Every structure is written in C-alpha cells, then in structure tokens.
Coordinates of all heavy atoms in Angstrom, one line a residue:
R32 N -22.2 102.4 16.8 CA -22.0 101.2 15.8 C -23.3 100.4 15.6 O -23.6 99.9 14.6 CB -20.8 100.3 16.2 CG -20.2 99.4 15.2 CD -19.0 98.7 15.7 NE -18.4 98.0 14.6 CZ -18.7 96.9 14.1 NH1 -19.8 96.2 14.6 NH2 -18.0 96.2 13.1
D33 N -24.0 100.3 16.7 CA -25.3 99.5 16.7 C -26.3 100.1 15.6 O -27.2 99.3 15.3 CB -25.8 99.2 18.1 CG -25.1 98.4 19.1 OD1 -24.3 97.5 18.4 OD2 -25.2 98.3 20.2
I34 N -26.2 101.4 15.5 CA -27.2 102.0 14.7 C -27.0 101.4 13.1 O -28.1 101.3 12.5 CB -26.9 103.6 14.6 CG1 -27.2 104.2 15.9 CG2 -27.7 104.2 13.4 CD1 -26.8 105.6 16.1
W35 N -25.8 101.0 12.8 CA -25.6 100.4 11.5 C -26.4 99.1 11.4 O -26.9 98.9 10.3 CB -24.2 100.1 11.3 CG -23.7 99.3 10.1 CD1 -23.3 98.0 10.1 CD2 -23.8 99.7 8.8 NE1 -23.1 97.6 8.8 CE2 -23.3 98.6 7.9 CE3 -24.2 101.0 8.1 CZ2 -23.4 98.7 6.5 CZ3 -24.1 101.0 6.7 CH2 -23.7 99.9 6.0
Y36 N -26.5 98.4 12.3 CA -27.2 97.1 12.3 C -28.7 97.3 12.5 O -29.5 96.4 12.3 CB -26.7 96.1 13.4 CG -25.2 95.8 13.3 CD1 -24.3 96.3 14.2 CD2 -24.7 95.0 12.2 CE1 -23.0 96.1 14.1 CE2 -23.4 94.9 12.0 CZ -22.5 95.4 13.0 OH -21.2 95.2 12.9
S37 N -29.2 98.4 13.0 CA -30.5 98.7 13.2 C -31.3 98.9 11.9 O -32.6 98.9 11.7 CB -30.7 100.0 14.2 OG -30.5 101.1 13.3
K38 N -30.6 99.2 10.8 CA -31.2 99.5 9.5 C -32.0 100.6 9.5 O -32.9 100.9 8.6 CB -32.0 98.2 9.0 CG -31.3 96.9 9.0 CD -29.9 97.0 8.2 CE -29.3 95.6 8.1 NZ -28.1 95.6 7.3
D39 N -31.9 101.5 10.5 CA -32.7 102.8 10.5 C -31.9 103.8 9.7 O -30.9 104.4 10.1 CB -32.8 103.4 12.0 CG -33.7 104.5 12.2 OD1 -33.8 105.4 11.2 OD2 -34.3 104.7 13.2
E40 N -32.4 104.0 8.3 CA -31.8 104.9 7.5 C -31.6 106.3 7.9 O -30.6 107.0 7.6 CB -32.5 104.8 6.2 CG -32.5 103.4 5.5 CD -30.9 103.1 5.1 OE1 -30.1 104.0 4.8 OE2 -30.7 101.8 5.1
K41 N -32.5 106.8 8.6 CA -32.6 108.2 9.0 C -31.4 108.4 10.1 O -30.5 109.2 10.1 CB -33.9 108.5 9.7 CG -33.9 110.0 10.2 CD -35.2 110.4 10.7 CE -35.4 111.8 11.1 NZ -36.8 112.3 11.7
L42 N -31.3 107.5 11.1 CA -30.2 107.5 12.0 C -28.8 107.2 11.5 O -27.8 107.9 11.8 CB -30.5 106.6 13.3 CG -31.3 107.0 14.3 CD1 -31.5 105.9 15.4 CD2 -30.8 108.3 15.1
I43 N -28.8 106.2 10.5 CA -27.5 106.0 9.9 C -27.0 107.2 9.1 O -25.8 107.5 9.2 CB -27.7 104.8 8.9 CG1 -28.0 103.4 9.6 CG2 -26.5 104.7 8.0 CD1 -28.3 102.3 8.8
N44 N -27.9 107.9 8.4 CA -27.5 109.1 7.6 C -27.1 110.2 8.7 O -26.2 110.9 8.4 CB -28.7 109.6 6.9 CG -28.3 110.8 6.0 OD1 -27.3 110.5 5.1 ND2 -28.9 111.9 6.1
K45 N -27.7 110.3 9.9 CA -27.3 111.3 10.9 C -25.9 111.1 11.4 O -25.1 112.0 11.5 CB -28.4 111.3 11.9 CG -28.0 112.4 13.0 CD -29.1 112.4 14.1 CE -28.8 113.4 15.1 NZ -29.8 113.5 16.2
Y46 N -25.6 109.8 11.7 CA -24.4 109.5 12.3 C -23.4 108.7 11.6 O -22.4 108.2 12.0 CB -24.7 108.6 13.6 CG -25.4 109.3 14.7 CD1 -26.8 109.0 15.0 CD2 -24.7 110.3 15.5 CE1 -27.4 109.7 16.1 CE2 -25.4 111.0 16.4 CZ -26.8 110.7 16.8 OH -27.4 111.3 17.9
K47 N -23.5 108.8 10.3 CA -22.6 108.0 9.3 C -21.1 108.3 9.5 O -20.3 107.4 9.4 CB -23.1 108.2 7.8 CG -23.1 109.7 7.3 CD -23.7 109.9 5.9 CE -23.8 111.3 5.5 NZ -24.5 111.4 4.3
Y48 N -20.8 109.6 9.7 CA -19.4 109.9 10.0 C -18.7 109.5 11.2 O -17.6 109.4 11.4 CB -19.1 111.4 9.7 CG -19.7 111.9 8.4 CD1 -20.6 112.8 8.2 CD2 -19.1 111.2 7.2 CE1 -21.0 113.3 6.9 CE2 -19.6 111.7 5.9 CZ -20.5 112.7 5.8 OH -20.9 113.0 4.5
L49 N -19.7 109.1 12.3 CA -19.2 108.3 13.4 C -19.2 106.8 13.3 O -18.3 106.3 13.7 CB -20.1 108.8 14.6 CG -19.8 110.2 15.2 CD1 -20.9 110.6 16.1 CD2 -18.5 110.3 15.9
I50 N -20.3 106.4 12.6 CA -20.5 105.0 12.4 C -19.4 104.4 11.6 O -18.8 103.3 11.9 CB -21.8 104.6 11.5 CG1 -23.0 105.0 12.4 CG2 -21.8 103.2 11.0 CD1 -24.3 105.0 11.7
M51 N -18.8 105.1 10.6 CA -17.8 104.6 9.7 C -16.5 104.3 10.4 O -15.7 103.5 10.1 CB -17.5 105.6 8.6 CG -16.8 106.8 9.0 SD -16.5 108.0 7.6 CE -15.6 109.4 8.5
L52 N -16.3 104.9 11.6 CA -15.0 104.8 12.4 C -14.6 103.4 12.9 O -13.4 103.1 12.9 CB -15.0 105.8 13.5 CG -15.1 107.4 13.1 CD1 -15.1 108.1 14.6 CD2 -14.1 107.7 12.3
D53 N -15.6 102.6 13.1 CA -15.4 101.2 13.5 C -16.0 100.1 12.9 O -16.2 99.1 13.4 CB -15.7 101.3 15.0 CG -15.2 100.0 15.7 OD1 -13.9 99.6 15.5 OD2 -15.9 99.5 16.6
L54 N -16.4 100.4 11.4 CA -16.9 99.4 10.8 C -15.8 98.4 10.2 O -14.7 98.9 10.0 CB -17.7 99.9 9.6 CG -19.0 100.6 9.9 CD1 -19.7 101.2 8.7 CD2 -19.9 99.8 10.7
S55 N -16.1 97.2 10.0 CA -15.3 96.2 9.2 C -15.0 96.8 7.8 O -15.7 97.6 7.4 CB -15.8 94.8 9.3 OG -16.9 94.8 8.5
D56 N -14.0 96.2 7.1 CA -13.7 96.6 5.8 C -15.0 96.5 4.8 O -15.3 97.2 4.0 CB -12.5 96.0 5.3 CG -12.5 94.4 5.4 OD1 -13.4 93.9 6.0 OD2 -11.7 93.8 4.8
K57 N -15.6 95.2 5.0 CA -16.7 94.9 4.1 C -18.0 95.8 4.5 O -18.6 96.3 3.5 CB -17.1 93.6 4.2 CG -16.1 92.6 3.6 CD -16.4 91.1 3.8 CE -15.4 90.2 3.1 NZ -15.8 88.7 3.1
E58 N -18.2 96.1 5.7 CA -19.3 97.1 6.1 C -19.1 98.4 5.7 O -20.0 99.1 5.1 CB -19.4 96.9 7.7 CG -19.9 95.6 8.2 CD -19.9 95.5 9.6 OE1 -18.9 96.1 10.2 OE2 -20.6 94.8 10.3
L59 N -17.9 98.9 5.7 CA -17.4 100.2 5.3 C -17.7 100.3 3.8 O -18.1 101.4 3.4 CB -15.9 100.4 5.7 CG -15.6 102.0 5.5 CD1 -16.3 102.8 6.3 CD2 -14.0 102.0 6.0
E60 N -17.4 99.4 3.0 CA -17.6 99.4 1.6 C -19.1 99.5 1.3 O -19.4 100.4 0.4 CB -17.0 98.1 0.9 CG -15.6 98.0 1.0 CD -15.1 96.8 0.2 OE1 -16.0 95.9 -0.1 OE2 -13.8 96.5 0.2
K61 N -19.9 99.1 2.0 CA -21.5 99.3 1.8 C -21.8 100.7 2.1 O -22.7 101.1 1.4 CB -22.2 98.2 2.7 CG -22.0 96.8 2.3 CD -22.8 95.8 3.3 CE -22.5 94.4 2.8 NZ -23.3 93.5 3.8
L62 N -21.3 101.2 3.3 CA -21.6 102.5 3.6 C -21.0 103.6 2.7 O -21.7 104.5 2.3 CB -21.2 102.9 5.0 CG -21.7 104.1 5.6 CD1 -23.0 104.4 5.7 CD2 -21.0 104.3 7.1
A63 N -19.9 103.2 2.1 CA -19.2 104.2 1.3 C -19.9 104.2 -0.1 O -19.8 105.3 -0.7 CB -17.8 103.5 0.9
L64 N -20.8 103.3 -0.4 CA -21.5 103.4 -1.7 C -22.5 104.5 -1.7 O -23.1 105.1 -2.5 CB -22.3 102.0 -2.0 CG -21.3 100.9 -2.3 CD1 -22.2 99.6 -2.4 CD2 -20.5 101.2 -3.7
K65 N -22.9 104.9 -0.3 CA -24.0 105.9 -0.2 C -23.5 107.3 0.1 O -24.3 108.3 0.2 CB -24.9 105.5 1.0 CG -25.4 104.2 1.0 CD -26.2 103.8 2.2 CE -26.9 102.4 2.1 NZ -27.7 102.1 3.4

C-alpha cells in the first residue's frame, strides 16, 4: 500500500492489482483511471 504513496509509477504499475485491494474509495478512483 505504501507504494501508492511513493509516487513510483514503475512500482505502482507492477503491483497495481495488489495495491487496489486496500485503497480508500477516492484513492481507488484515481488508480482506476489508469
């Protein structure tokens, strides 16, 4: 989950399907756009 706050786009893209599991509704909407 901390990867989401790191703003590291490469890591976010690698783990996005794990990151999404515990994001808040507003954070999830931002990731969903990608």
